Amino acid sequence: MIDALGYATTGRHSSLKPHPFQCDEPGASDVQIDVMFCGVCHSDIHQARNEWGNTVYPCMPGHEVVGRVARVGSAVTRFGVGDLVGVGCMVDSCRTCPSCAAGEENYCEGPNSWLATYNGPMIPAAKSPDGTNRYGRDNTFGGYATTIVVTERFVLRIPPALAPEAAAPILCAGVTTYSPLRHWGVKPGDRVGVVGFGGLGDMAVKLARAMGAAVTVFTTSEDKVPLARALGATAVVGADKDALAALKASFDLILSTVPQSHDLNPFIPLLRRDRAIVVVGALDALKPVANMQVAAQRRSVSASLIGSIAETQEVLDFCAEHAIAPDIQVIPMSEINDAYARVVKGDVRFRYVIDIATLRSEQGRALPGPAKGREAL
Ligand SMILES: [Zn+2]
Ligand SMILES: [Zn+2]
């Protein structure tokens, strides 16, 4: 077993605290990673606070993980010690269902769906059709930790052109916006709308611009207008009815990156015929959609969930090629609870990234002792 230290929470009203634990040694196909940086995603907060009602405690979040390979199993062929690598939202999937066979593991149809980097399988044993858990573990611990062990197939290569701390948010925010832009075929000259301008919105604008699209940001914050303009986008603030009316039937794709329940109705009339609005930020029930304005131009209201492993590698390579980096602020591990409060208030300019070296120095100071709580990994 490997002694590791992470930050975890033990209940929905608890803060994140240092949590020593033990990882299994890497098996033949596994890669052991010394974590360097981990992005702070809004999902981490939803999960830590059990806002989706499925949290397994202790909860150690983190699915934008960048680090160096410390050790590899005997059957690992694609990575060697010292390589800069990443881990996104998934660490395994059933590998045999039609979605996995098509390389779309993020839509795994297996009895437990995919194994999330933290919080265990997407469908736990209690909710699986046969009451089993093929992954053999109910919980997993994410990247708010010194060490993570992941099967080679779910490890990503970080291109040398990317700074490791800036690469972290690409692993969730980047692929979550890249996947629908690709799926819906955004091409040069298209018009793309981005609703919400936080961590996801920032990546959506940068990626869509690099694909040659003209981008409009819809934000509730006047302060963010100059930031949108600096990225080559135009911006519409709040529910400016005249501005929205002027944009009627003019967009080829709209991505909604708002991280909680919201109203899509003001944006649907902005789509051209046969075009889609895709929800990528929220998993909650949304306000009912007025179907007349969907039907009127055979529009689609859609949603998508992160992206596949292949798409995650693609977006990392795309960002390296187009010199795209998320806007980030690096924080020490000890500031994570304040960071959560600021993210919830919307008081952050894009993405916090935790410097895990600060956690490693906490580990150096911690008294050695047996790990408490359940095993993860
Ligand atoms: Zn995320
Ligand atoms: Zn599958």
Side-chain angles (χ1 to χ4, degrees):
M1 301 295 263
I2 306 159
D3 283 324
L5 179 66
Y7 264 49
T9 173
T10 51
R12 65 181 309 168
H13 302 296
S14 309
S15 56
L16 290 154
K17 296 191 183 77
H19 186 91
F21 66 104
Q22 290 190 314
C23 287
D24 279 340
E25 302 284 339
S29 303
D30 295 337
V31 176
Q32 179 186 330
I33 301 162
D34 285 341
V35 181
M36 295 163 65
F37 294 99
C38 187
V40 177
C41 175
H42 211 120
S43 301
D44 300 352
I45 303 174
H46 288 308
Q47 198 75 72
R49 298 180 176 176
N50 197 21
E51 287 166 357
W52 293 326
N54 67 343
T55 301
V56 186
Y57 291 105
C59 173
M60 186 180 294
H63 61 204
E64 296 180 342
V65 190
V66 171
R68 284 210 186 271
V69 175
R71 204 149 45 123
V72 294
S74 56
V76 169
T77 57
R78 291 167 43 233
F79 300 101
V81 172
D83 287 356
L84 192 62
V85 295
V87 178
C89 302
M90 300 177 279
V91 289
D92 209 347
S93 72
C94 88
R95 307 186 186 198
T96 56
C97 73
S99 294
C100 285
E104 303 209 79
E105 310 86 353
N106 50 318
Y107 300 114
C108 176
E109 299 154 67
N112 301 106
S113 192
W114 40 276
L115 184 63
T117 304
Y118 62 87
N119 209 59
M122 292 300 279
I123 302 177
K127 293 200 171 159
S128 78
D130 54 3
T132 62
N133 176 356
R134 72 177 296 285
Y135 300 112
R137 44 191 163 164
D138 301 323
N139 199 2
T140 43
F141 284 174
Y144 293 10
T146 51
T147 303
I148 191 166
V149 176
V150 178
T151 189
E152 173 179 32
R153 187 172 170 142
F154 284 75
V155 177
L156 288 315
R157 193 171 21 79
I158 304 292
L162 295 177
E165 59 274 36
I170 298 171
L171 293 156
C172 173
V175 72
T176 296
T177 48
Y178 179 85
S179 177
L181 290 168
R182 278 284 185 243
H183 178 77
W184 294 93
V186 169
K187 56 188 188 307
D190 278 359
R191 291 191 68 178
V192 171
V194 175
V195 182
F197 196 40
L200 288 175
D202 171 54
M203 284 307 294
V205 172
K206 288 171 178 168
L207 293 167
R209 291 284 299 141
M211 291 174 188
V215 180
T216 301
V217 168
F218 299 92
T219 174
T220 51
S221 165
E222 188 81 46
D223 303 356
K224 290 187 174 171
V225 172
L227 304 175
R229 289 198 182 131
L231 298 182
T234 49
V236 173
V237 177
D240 181 341
K241 289 222 167 58
D242 292 342
L244 293 183
L247 294 169
K248 193 165 177 246
S250 65
F251 285 90
D252 296 286
L253 183 71
I254 299 177
L255 295 188
S256 175
T257 70
V258 177
Q260 62 271 323
S261 185
H262 57 289
D263 187 5
L264 299 177
N265 289 297
F267 305 103
I268 293 169
L270 310 191
L271 291 166
R272 299 174 59 203
R273 175 172 48 80
D274 286 333
R275 302 303 202 270
I277 182 164
V278 184
V279 176
V280 294
L283 295 174
D284 322 63
L286 302 190
K287 254 189 117 156
V289 162
N291 200 43
M292 175 58 92
Q293 56 183 13
V294 181
Q297 289 295 317
R298 199 168 50 192
R299 296 168 172 125
S300 296
V301 175
S302 181
S304 73
L305 191 64
I306 54 168
S308 67
I309 289 297
E311 284 172 324
T312 311
Q313 190 63 61
E314 228 177 273
V315 67
L316 287 163
D317 296 342
F318 184 89
C319 288
E321 187 188 331
H322 293 271
I324 294 172
D327 270 15
I328 58 164
Q329 185 179 340
V330 176
I331 57 167
M333 187 77 246
S334 56
E335 287 180 17
I336 187 65
N337 294 300
D338 295 339
Y340 273 21
R342 293 189 62 182
V343 171
V344 170
K345 271 198 292 181
D347 182 23
V348 54
R349 200 184 137 183
F350 309 126
R351 212 68 155 179
Y352 284 122
V353 174
I354 306 161
D355 178 357
I356 298 294
T358 63
L359 177 63
R360 205 160 276 115
S361 49
E362 279 189 44
Q363 187 184 26
R365 287 196 302 272
L367 291 171
K372 282 192 294 195
R374 74 178 67 230
E375 278 175 22
L377 286 173

